[in-house]
């Protein structure tokens, strides 16, 4: 996770938001060496109604889904380490 100061966020808001949106990263914002916020892309959730045929009848169902468009941070950190 990238960490930036609140001052850096104030000076570079557009660039930081572009990184979050385009690269899917999470940014921790610090003030006085304490994390005060995290900026991350939204998780995408949805529902889809559908029907299932059971014999001569139909049963209504709702399918719920979540789009996990990025791997967990612990896997991303492992990929960025160089030996």
């Amino acid at each position: 996770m990238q960490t930036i100061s609140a001052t850096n966020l104030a000076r570079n808001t557009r660039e930081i938001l572009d990184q979050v949106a385009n690269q899917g990263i999470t940014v921790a914002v610090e003030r006085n060496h304490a994390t005060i916020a995290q900026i991350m892309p939204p998780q995408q959730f949805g529902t889809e109604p559908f029907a299932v045929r059971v014999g001569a009848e139909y049963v209504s169902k709702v399918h719920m889904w979540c789009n996990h468009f990025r791997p967990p941070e612990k896997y991303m950190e492992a990929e960025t380490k160089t030996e």
Side-chain angles (χ1 to χ4, degrees):
M1 177 177 350
Q2 181 179 348
T3 302
I4 61 168
S5 68
T7 302
N8 190 17
L9 174 62
R11 292 180 182 157
N12 301 297
T13 303
R14 175 181 225 148
E15 292 82 6
I16 293 165
L17 291 178
D18 286 345
Q19 286 180 350
V20 171
N22 297 329
Q23 299 172 17
I25 64 170
T26 298
V27 177
V29 181
E30 287 188 348
R31 179 184 293 150
N32 298 325
H33 305 289
T35 301
I36 60 168
Q38 288 185 348
I39 303 171
M40 63 186 72
Q43 290 187 356
Q44 298 176 357
F45 294 93
T47 60
E48 300 170 348
F50 66 96
V52 177
R53 185 173 183 166
V54 180
E57 303 291 322
Y58 286 90
V59 178
S60 296
K61 298 279 185 179
V62 175
H63 176 244
M64 298 179 72
W65 55 271
C66 175
N67 181 13
H68 295 285
F69 59 93
R70 62 189 171 106
E73 300 254 348
K74 64 181 179 181
Y75 299 119
M76 293 179 69
E77 290 173 5
E79 291 176 4
T80 58
K81 291 182 181 176
T82 57
E83 297 184 28

